[in-house]
């Protein structure tokens, strides 16, 4: 039996009210039930499934952080929809900024990348330098780089393995890469 949007709204509002009163089961149930709705809102703005899922996770985090602000006397779907819409727009801006910084590789870039280090000794030195730089990172950043970049795990897999949130892993990876870039650029200048 399908529920109407009004019935669903009332049901979700009741679950949120119970969650605000400390009912963990109601909160877990609410979060499970709203994911398809959040995903549908994100898909209106985003094309890639990875970006949609990231926006959904960001929306869930926001909902968790501001759940105390929800007024159970008001409909919940517009409140959830506004949060999901904002997180999707944040993701659109992020994707757009990233695309603006990316450069199309030319044939010369491809040749240089394909060539790589010119001999085995250079390759060993590069690999050793990279391992040393990663080893010097703070533990959380090192773990994020090892799982996400070196082992090529997905954010969800790394999150499950470490118990860290997807957002925390993203931040740790971003900071680690920035630190590694500073180190590499600094050593090239010496």
């Amino acid at each position: 039996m399908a529920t109407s949007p009004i019935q669903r709204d009332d049901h979700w509002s009741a679950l949120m009210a119970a969650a605000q009163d400390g009912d963990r089961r109601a909160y877990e149930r609410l979060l499970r039930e709203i994911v398809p709705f959040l995903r549908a809102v994100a898909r209106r703005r985003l094309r890639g499934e990875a970006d949609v899922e990231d926006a959904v996770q960001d929306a869930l985090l926001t909902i968790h952080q501001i759940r105390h602000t929800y007024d159970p006397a008001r409909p919940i779907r517009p409140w959830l929809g506004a949060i999901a819409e904002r997180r999707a727009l944040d993701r659109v801006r992020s994707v757009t900024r990233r695309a603006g910084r990316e450069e199309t590789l030319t044939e010369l870039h491809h040749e240089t990348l394909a060539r790589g280090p010119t001999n085995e000794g250079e390759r060993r030195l590069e690999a050793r330098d990279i391992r040393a730089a990663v080893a010097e990172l703070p533990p959380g950043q090192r773990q994020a780089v090892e799982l996400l970049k070196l082992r090529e795990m997905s954010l969800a897999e790394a999150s499950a393995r470490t118990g860290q949130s997807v957002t925390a892993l993203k931040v740790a990876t971003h900071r680690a890469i920035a630190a590694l870039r500073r180190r590499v650029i600094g050593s090239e200048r010496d």
Side-chain angles (χ1 to χ4, degrees):
M1 178 173 127
T3 59
S4 73
I6 293 171
Q7 290 171 321
R8 184 177 52 200
D9 210 43
D10 290 343
H11 173 68
W12 288 352
S13 291
L15 289 173
M16 180 60 91
Q20 288 173 327
D21 287 337
D23 185 339
R24 288 182 54 162
R25 285 192 175 139
Y27 188 53
E28 290 171 5
R29 184 171 177 191
L30 171 70
L31 294 178
R32 274 194 310 276
E33 289 183 17
I34 65 172
V35 166
F37 173 73
L38 300 175
R39 194 173 285 132
V41 172
R43 279 194 179 118
R44 287 190 293 231
R45 294 281 182 183
L46 297 161
R47 295 200 192 322
E49 278 305 306
D51 289 325
V52 167
E53 290 307 312
D54 285 347
V56 168
Q57 291 302 313
D58 292 344
L60 288 169
L61 284 170
T62 301
I63 290 163
H64 179 71
Q65 291 167 341
I66 66 168
R67 67 188 180 277
H68 65 278
T69 66
Y70 172 69
D71 177 2
R74 306 203 34 111
I76 196 169
R77 268 185 313 122
W79 186 77
L80 294 170
I83 292 168
E85 180 75 15
R86 300 270 185 317
R87 296 299 75 88
L89 288 172
D90 289 347
R91 181 68 40 190
V92 167
R93 286 190 286 272
S94 173
V95 168
T96 303
R97 278 192 310 272
R98 188 173 51 236
R101 290 188 307 258
E102 292 175 352
E103 181 180 327
T104 304
L105 293 179
T106 65
E107 195 60 39
L108 179 60
H109 288 114
H110 287 289
E111 290 172 16
T112 304
L113 289 172
R115 233 179 309 135
T118 56
N119 63 46
E120 185 62 30
E122 284 182 18
R123 279 190 285 277
R124 285 188 192 144
L125 283 173
E126 276 186 9
R128 186 191 72 206
D129 291 344
I130 290 170
R131 280 193 306 274
V134 169
E136 290 178 9
L137 291 170
Q141 292 178 14
R142 182 175 57 246
Q143 185 180 41
V145 168
E146 287 172 352
L147 295 177
L148 296 170
K149 300 301 180 185
L150 301 178
R151 294 186 190 171
E152 297 181 346
M153 287 184 171
S154 71
L155 282 165
E157 292 169 329
S159 177
R161 165 132 346 142
T162 64
Q164 293 184 47
S165 69
V166 168
T167 302
L169 286 167
K170 286 180 184 181
V171 169
T173 303
H174 174 77
R175 289 179 178 163
I177 300 234
L180 292 171
R181 279 188 183 131
R182 284 191 301 274
R183 181 166 179 184
V184 168
I185 290 170
S187 66
E188 287 178 357
R189 290 181 181 160
D190 294 340

